[in-house]
Amino acid sequence: MADWPAVQRTERTDTIVRRRRGRGALASLAVAAVMTATAAACGAPLQDLGPLPPRFSGPPLPADAVVSELTSVLAAEGITVARQPSEALGRCTERLTGRHAPATVDAAVRAAVGRARSEHGWQAGPDLGNGTLTLTKGNWTALTAVPSPEPAQGIESSVIVSLTCVDGGSPTASTTPAPGPTSS
């Protein structure tokens, strides 16, 4: 016959092993349930919604047309700007710079942005805050900061409009600068 304390140790060991396996199985079931619930909950956001829409609609707008349009909008508000040649080869960027009387520069820039939206179909771009105004049209984004109405005495306020092409195929068609800036 077997030694009674040895049998008790074996039975005790078997009981401990069975309990550990039972707890492990229970933990495995709990983890499996959590993973199943997570997969079910996250399944909807991961579904395929098809291809992304284009970044802009319609044909790409040429740089000359965009620059001409914004130059005329700014001129209608008394801000004469000059087109600076694009220095980045292969990139669609343009820059319009000019000067305006400091007392009315804020109102003139805001009116020009409003005119571009109402008369030429530009849309409000993302809100960047801090007095920055953005417009989008086709494959172009125009960005300008509302200048401070109080520059140093006797100096006109600078007006800068930066234009960036989202996906243009060809960079600027012409980089000939317009006549120099004049004040109004």
Side-chain angles (χ1 to χ4, degrees), residues 78-160:
I79 304 170
T80 304
V81 293
R83 179 179 185 178
Q84 293 182 340
S86 177
E87 296 174 10
L89 295 176
R91 292 192 61 202
C92 295
T93 58
E94 293 287 337
R95 188 171 173 160
L96 304 174
T97 60
R99 297 203 169 272
H100 190 70
T104 58
V105 69
D106 182 357
V109 169
R110 289 184 189 279
V113 167
R115 183 181 298 266
R117 290 180 66 195
S118 64
E119 294 178 11
H120 296 281
W122 286 81
Q123 301 296 316
D127 182 16
L128 301 177
N130 299 331
T132 303
L133 303 172
T134 57
L135 295 169
T136 60
K137 183 175 183 182
N139 56 324
W140 289 90
T141 298
L143 177 104
T144 185
V146 177
S148 170
E150 299 175 14
Q153 192 162 5
I155 298 177
E156 293 183 316
S157 294
S158 293
V159 176
I160 299 172

Side-chain angles (χ1 to χ4, degrees), residues 4-183:
W4 182 249
V7 171
Q8 281 182 330
R9 274 189 300 233
T10 305
E11 288 177 3
R12 195 176 316 140
T13 305
D14 287 343
T15 304
I16 292 172
V17 169
R18 276 191 230 121
R19 285 183 185 160
R20 285 185 183 165
R21 284 185 185 163
R23 288 182 191 140
L26 202 62
S28 295
L29 285 173
V31 168
V34 168
M35 294 298 288
T36 303
T38 303
C42 294
L46 298 177
Q47 67 183 340
D48 184 12
L49 300 176
L52 291 172
R55 290 190 272 180
F56 62 92
S57 61
L61 300 172
D64 287 338
V66 171
V67 168
S68 173
E69 194 170 275
L70 286 179
T71 301
S72 69
V73 165
L74 291 164
E77 297 301 328
I79 304 170
T80 304
V81 293
R83 179 179 185 178
Q84 293 182 340
S86 177
E87 296 174 10
L89 295 176
R91 292 192 61 202
C92 295
T93 58
E94 293 287 337
R95 188 171 173 160
L96 304 174
T97 60
R99 297 203 169 272
H100 190 70
T104 58
V105 69
D106 182 357
V109 169
R110 289 184 189 279
V113 167
R115 183 181 298 266
R117 290 180 66 195
S118 64
E119 294 178 11
H120 296 281
W122 286 81
Q123 301 296 316
D127 182 16
L128 301 177
N130 299 331
T132 303
L133 303 172
T134 57
L135 295 169
T136 60
K137 183 175 183 182
N139 56 324
W140 289 90
T141 298
L143 177 104
T144 185
V146 177
S148 170
E150 299 175 14
Q153 192 162 5
I155 298 177
E156 293 183 316
S157 294
S158 293
V159 176
I160 299 172
V161 179
S162 296
L163 298 159
T164 306
C165 180
V166 174
D167 183 21
S170 68
T172 59
S174 168
T175 57
T176 307
T182 59
S183 61

